[in-house]
Amino acid sequence: MTQDAHKQRYEGRCLCGSVSFVIEAVFDGFFLCHCSHCRKGSGSAHASNLFSSTATLTWLSGEELVSHYQIPNSRHARNFCKQCGSPLPRIVRAKDDEAETDGGLVVPAGCLDTPLPLLPTAHIFTGSRADWDHELETIPQFEDFPR
Ligand SMILES: [Zn+2]
Ligand SMILES: [Zn+2]
């Protein structure tokens, strides 16, 4: 059995559907990053990124719409759809992200359509949490819009 035999196939796309892709991966980690960059980039309490050092990424459509942004003089970068702004996977060639160590592929969990076989590994950069990001499981919950 080769390492590739253990890889699973994941499909994903952006919100507008223009960009779609396939990933063959074994994910090494799944981190919820609360740093200020990830909060800005996601517009939410944290980014939710999967990491793999051996994954392959194939764009199926819309590759020309994939934009890259790197904060100057920082290790923080993100890929996103030029049309709808959705976060998209990116290949890391060096140490350019807080949670990345060995290079590989970073995949925003929300852009995948294939169910994931793993739960998040850890919350990271919790020292940078938003001031409203505490005990969120304890507030009222509704299956759809509150009535
Ligand atoms: Zn899009
Ligand atoms: Zn972060």
Side-chain angles (χ1 to χ4, degrees), residues 13-19 65 80-86 88:
R13 64 186 63 238
C14 66
L15 185 58
C16 75
S18 300
V19 181
L65 291 173
F80 57 95
C81 171
K82 212 175 276 186
Q83 198 156 274
C84 69
S86 302
L88 290 167

Side-chain angles (χ1 to χ4, degrees), residues 10 23-33 38 47-55 75-77 90-92 94-109 112 116 118 121-122 124-125:
Y10 299 92
I23 289 166
E24 303 272 349
V26 173
F27 290 116
D28 312 316
F30 183 4
F31 293 100
L32 309 182
C33 185
C38 286
S48 306
N49 285 321
L50 295 145
F51 294 83
S52 174
S53 54
T54 57
R75 295 181 299 164
H76 188 88
R90 67 190 168 85
I91 292 163
V92 179
K95 235 178 144 179
D96 75 355
D97 189 276
E98 292 90 338
E100 184 59 35
T101 51
D102 300 323
L105 189 70
V106 182
V107 184
L112 294 177
L116 283 166
L118 72 167
T121 313
I124 60 173
F125 282 80

